[in-house]
Amino acid sequence: MDAEIEILGPMAVRCAGTVHHLHSAQARVAFARLVLAGPEGVTRHELADVVWPGALPPTWASALRTLVSRLRAFVGPLQAEPTNPLVKRGGRYVLALGENVLVDVEEATRSVAAAHEALNAGDVATADRLATRAADRLRSPFLAEYEGDWAAGQRERLTECLITALEIGSRAAMGSGDHGRAALLAEEATARAPERESAHRCLMAVREAMGNRGEALRAYQRLRRYLAEELGVDPSPETEAAYLTLLGPSAGVVPSGGPAVGHRPVPFVGRRHEMATLAGAWARAARGRRQFVLVTGESGIGKTRLLREAGATMAAEGGLLLVGRCDEGTMVPYQPLVEALDGYVAASPDDPLDAVRPAARGPLRMLLPSLGGPCPPGELPEQPILFAALTRLLLAAANERPCAVLIDDAHWADPQTVALLRHLLRTTADARLCFVVAARNDLPTSAQRRVRADLDEAMLPFEHAGDGTEVALGGLDLASTRALVRESGTGTDSDAADADPVRRVHARSGGNPFMLLEMLRHRAGPDAVPPAVARLVAAKQAAIGQDAARLLQVAAVTGSSVTFDAVAGAAGLDVLAALDALEALLKVGILTEVTAADSQHPDRPTIYEFRHDVVRQAVDEQMSAARRRHITSRQRTMPGPRTDTDHRLSRTGSERP
């Protein structure tokens, strides 16, 4: 006979189409205790302590026997056989339920565990269904009218289970693209358990996936404030690391957010020297010697990931993280530093303005969102007043504990932001501050190259004094690439004849982590151009100018190595225009000038090669067949010998023999 015991909500037993209720509060709590004890049962003293959580009445023994008799009569219909399931065995009361009897609490907890397994396996549909079913059950109260240590402990356990179900449901909904429902579930989890960091991390991830980084930052700030005010603690290193993921790469260059469903999180490999450099700068800053580290590299090389890992280490060592990012075309004045300091203000349990001079409080209220700002840029105080106010606030933060100011995508910074950064660097020499700024060095436009030049200029005096360092990220070496592929679980369906596909992908990508992982994950195999890489290359082509784009197309058709004369002639450019185009391609890192290792020529002949062969392939595939035929035809008419990939050019413009 199938039966179901509902302990959550109005307690009931459903059996053979009939619903049975217990009307006594004492009977309900005794019944719940027996059901959840399972085959182990409970002693009569344990059962009595649950029924009478205070002092036991003088006649408790006889009253308990009467209560047990009532429960036997209540549960009798649960068994098809005449034997009553409530027995006394070895001095313990045992409710021996058959396999056909379902208990709502047990079903809910099993569903949560199964949902967790499904989510880890990438089955978001199953995880969503199981988590939703469990949450629907667990929202009902457990013995709401009854007090006592046992009942309170069970309510706490079931609340934990409900929050877990809400988190799993939120992540599953996010994985299936239902961001609205994912946000509702995460918000409910944080409202029910404001101290639970994993729920807040879930909400942060959902808001970031929705493209609302501001709301994600505010979710972190609310958590940090609650922990400080209620518990007197800081967020865990795991939460600080999640906070750092909000430094995601800019849209349109490298996909932001977490890995796609079914992909393992990308591990952090290599970069020992770079991490050691950052650790040294942090140690000097913690001793009261302000540091400036400029992290540079091309798109997808791992600048953001390096900032995240370094920031997580700094937070684990007791540092205060102040995080900001520059967005392309932002209208927020001084965006990254306002973001960084606003996060500190929003999460501070005390009034942060108490630590700054009265003259600085007004400007800060006009600039920082947590204090009522920002007001329209035209209404802001003059730059010297703003700079002084922000400096005072930053110094107040550094007086509490060492601070790491992490700024990502600085190549999008406006001149005012760069000016503020330079001011802060000049006026905080003896503060416990470490500025870590990441910027691309393959900038296609003159405005972005100017920002990079300004950052280089800002570093000069500090580099000379030993307080400034540039960390230039190159591609991963082959050993690190193998570790990345192995630990991320990334496979390849390349032809079996390719004995070492990882080596091939490493060579074609130049060790760029973004490119090589995209190539290995691409369904067509590592010899194809992944769509994400194609979009990246198309964006660069659109920004380099018409002459450079024409020269690039000729170079892509010619081969991985080219001569200046051949590509300039086939592109139909005069010498000066071709040189300008070539220099543009060198600046954005598409081509590189390489010294010929076997050359004995006194002026050390160089060759021009594609930094990434997959980029050359992408440019070639994006051309029409008619343009490719036209380029090939022009190359055939060029004077002098021509072979596909044996073109070489010395710095004097003469070809190698």
Side-chain angles (χ1 to χ4, degrees):
M1 181 186 301
D2 293 335
E4 183 175 1
I5 297 174
E6 297 177 353
I7 297 177
L8 298 168
M11 188 175 292
V13 173
R14 301 181 183 274
C15 183
T18 304
V19 181
H20 306 272
H21 294 282
L22 282 167
H23 300 290
S24 164
Q26 292 180 342
R28 286 195 292 271
V29 72
F31 183 60
R33 182 69 177 89
L34 287 164
V35 170
L36 297 182
E40 294 183 3
V42 295
T43 67
R44 67 172 190 156
H45 284 92
E46 290 171 341
L47 191 57
D49 287 339
V50 169
V51 175
W52 297 283
L56 295 177
T59 59
W60 71 271
S62 60
L64 184 64
R65 285 194 296 272
T66 301
L67 183 60
V68 170
S69 296
R70 290 170 55 194
L71 291 177
R72 282 198 177 102
F74 179 71
V75 300
L78 294 179
Q79 295 289 87
E81 297 80 7
T83 305
N84 195 290
L86 181 53
V87 299
K88 194 169 185 181
R89 185 183 302 154
R92 305 177 74 87
Y93 290 111
V94 178
L95 186 57
L97 301 172
E99 294 181 357
N100 59 338
V101 178
L102 301 179
V103 180
D104 59 352
V105 171
E106 295 174 353
E107 282 294 296
T109 54
R110 280 195 293 266
S111 292
V112 172
H116 187 266
E117 292 181 2
L119 185 64
N120 286 341
D123 186 355
V124 294
T126 300
D128 193 359
R129 175 175 54 81
L130 292 172
T132 299
R133 184 170 69 186
D136 288 343
R137 288 179 180 266
L138 292 166
R139 287 189 182 97
S140 300
F142 176 82
L143 296 173
E145 79 287 1
Y146 200 84
E147 298 300 328
D149 291 343
W150 179 80
Q154 290 297 314
R155 280 194 287 269
E156 183 177 342
R157 180 179 72 85
L158 292 172
T159 298
E160 285 288 311
C161 195
L162 170 59
I163 303 307
T164 300
L166 292 171
E167 291 180 25
I168 294 172
S170 176
R171 295 187 183 280
M174 182 170 59
S176 63
D178 190 352
H179 292 151
R181 196 166 69 85
L184 290 175
L185 293 172
E187 289 280 10
E188 181 182 352
T190 58
R192 290 179 179 270
E195 77 289 348
R196 181 148 161 165
E197 294 191 43
S198 59
H200 287 271
R201 290 196 296 269
C202 183
L203 180 58
M204 290 161 60
V206 173
R207 293 302 187 192
E208 173 69 1
M210 296 174 74
N212 196 333
R213 192 162 59 95
E215 283 298 322
L217 288 168
R218 278 185 279 277
Y220 167 80
Q221 292 159 4
R222 288 195 299 270
L223 169 65
R224 189 175 175 194
R225 183 184 290 276
Y226 179 89
L227 294 177
E229 292 179 348
E230 301 296 329
L231 305 178
V233 298
D234 292 324
S236 67
E238 186 177 3
T239 299
E240 294 286 13
Y243 177 42
L244 288 174
T245 65
L246 299 178
L247 284 170
S250 300
V253 178
V254 183
S256 62
V261 174
H263 289 166
R264 298 181 188 177
V266 176
F268 184 67
V269 299
R271 308 305 191 198
R272 291 189 181 89
H273 174 73
E274 293 86 350
M275 286 292 287
T277 300
L278 286 164
W282 173 244
R284 291 189 293 274
R287 293 194 295 267
R289 184 177 172 184
R290 179 264 301 110
Q291 299 291 300
F292 177 34
V293 182
L294 180 60
V295 179
T296 61
E298 66 178 347
S299 303
I301 203 66
K303 302 180 295 301
T304 295
R305 185 59 183 273
L306 184 67
L307 257 65
R308 293 177 185 173
E309 296 296 327
T313 300
M314 294 167 183
E317 294 176 357
L320 174 64
L321 298 183
L322 305 178
V323 181
R325 187 180 75 183
C326 300
D327 291 324
E328 183 179 9
T330 181
M331 301 300 291
V332 179
Y334 316 109
Q335 181 200 7
L337 291 157
V338 166
E339 278 185 2
L341 288 168
D342 190 60
Y344 163 69
V345 168
S348 177
D350 303 316
D351 187 349
L353 296 188
D354 290 343
V356 302
R357 296 172 181 171
R361 297 173 187 175
L364 290 174
R365 287 193 178 96
M366 299 176 72
L367 189 61
L368 301 180
S370 295
L371 298 177
C375 69
E379 299 178 16
L380 287 173
E382 294 181 355
Q383 194 174 84
I385 298 174
L386 278 178
F387 284 14
L390 290 169
T391 302
R392 294 302 307 172
L393 183 59
L394 185 58
L395 289 173
N399 284 336
E400 292 182 12
R401 51 181 166 151
C403 291
V405 182
L406 309 181
I407 300 176
D408 199 16
D409 287 345
H411 47 273
W412 299 122
D414 56 29
Q416 292 78 13
T417 296
V418 177
L420 174 56
L421 177 62
R422 296 179 70 166
H423 174 83
L424 292 173
L425 289 168
R426 288 196 306 269
T427 55
T428 58
D430 298 324
R432 296 183 297 175
L433 285 165
C434 184
F435 294 86
V436 185
V437 178
R440 287 171 52 188
N441 61 6
D442 58 344
L443 307 172
T445 68
S446 58
Q448 293 168 346
R449 288 198 295 270
R450 180 59 193 166
V451 171
R452 171 62 197 278
D454 288 342
L455 292 173
D456 286 341
E457 186 179 348
M459 175 176 284
L460 284 176
F462 308 108
E463 194 171 23
H464 179 73
D467 295 336
T469 308
E470 180 176 355
V471 175
L473 291 183
L476 296 175
D477 59 24
L478 181 58
S480 297
T481 298
R482 293 192 190 283
L484 177 64
V485 173
R486 180 176 62 252
E487 295 179 26
S488 64
T490 303
T492 174
D493 297 327
S494 64
D495 193 286
D498 188 350
D500 195 350
V502 175
R503 180 185 291 274
R504 175 166 174 75
V505 169
H506 174 265
R508 279 171 40 77
S509 66
N512 182 295
F514 166 69
M515 291 184 182
L516 68 88
L517 284 177
E518 288 294 324
M519 292 165 67
L520 286 170
R521 289 169 175 165
H522 190 34
R523 292 180 179 178
D527 288 332
V529 179
V533 175
R535 288 193 296 271
L536 174 62
V537 174
K540 281 193 175 184
Q541 279 188 272
I544 58 177
Q546 184 177 5
D547 287 350
R550 289 171 61 185
L551 195 72
L552 178 62
Q553 290 174 331
V554 173
V557 172
T558 303
S560 58
S561 302
V562 299
T563 70
F564 174 78
D565 290 342
V567 294
L573 300 173
D574 62 39
V575 173
L576 291 180
L579 286 172
D580 289 341
L582 176 63
E583 289 174 358
L585 296 177
L586 293 171
K587 286 177 181 177
V588 299
I590 294 179
L591 294 182
T592 181
E593 192 177 62
V594 183
T595 300
D598 60 346
S599 173
Q600 302 299 319
H601 198 284
D603 70 349
R604 303 184 66 205
T606 58
I607 58 176
Y608 295 94
E609 294 183 342
F610 278 85
R611 186 181 297 273
H612 310 292
D613 184 64
V614 67
V615 172
R616 180 204 61 76
Q617 182 181 353
V619 174
D620 183 64
E621 291 180 357
Q622 289 169 6
M623 276 187 285
S624 65
R627 182 175 293 276
R628 194 178 296 109
R629 286 195 300 270
H630 172 73
I631 292 172
T632 303
S633 175
R634 284 188 61 89
Q635 287 176 327
R636 291 186 183 133
T637 63
M638 297 298 296
R642 295 290 180 267
T643 59
D644 182 38
T645 60
D646 197 33
H647 296 162
R648 299 293 185 268
L649 178 72
S650 73
R651 292 184 180 179
T652 62
S654 59
E655 291 189 0
R656 294 176 59 199

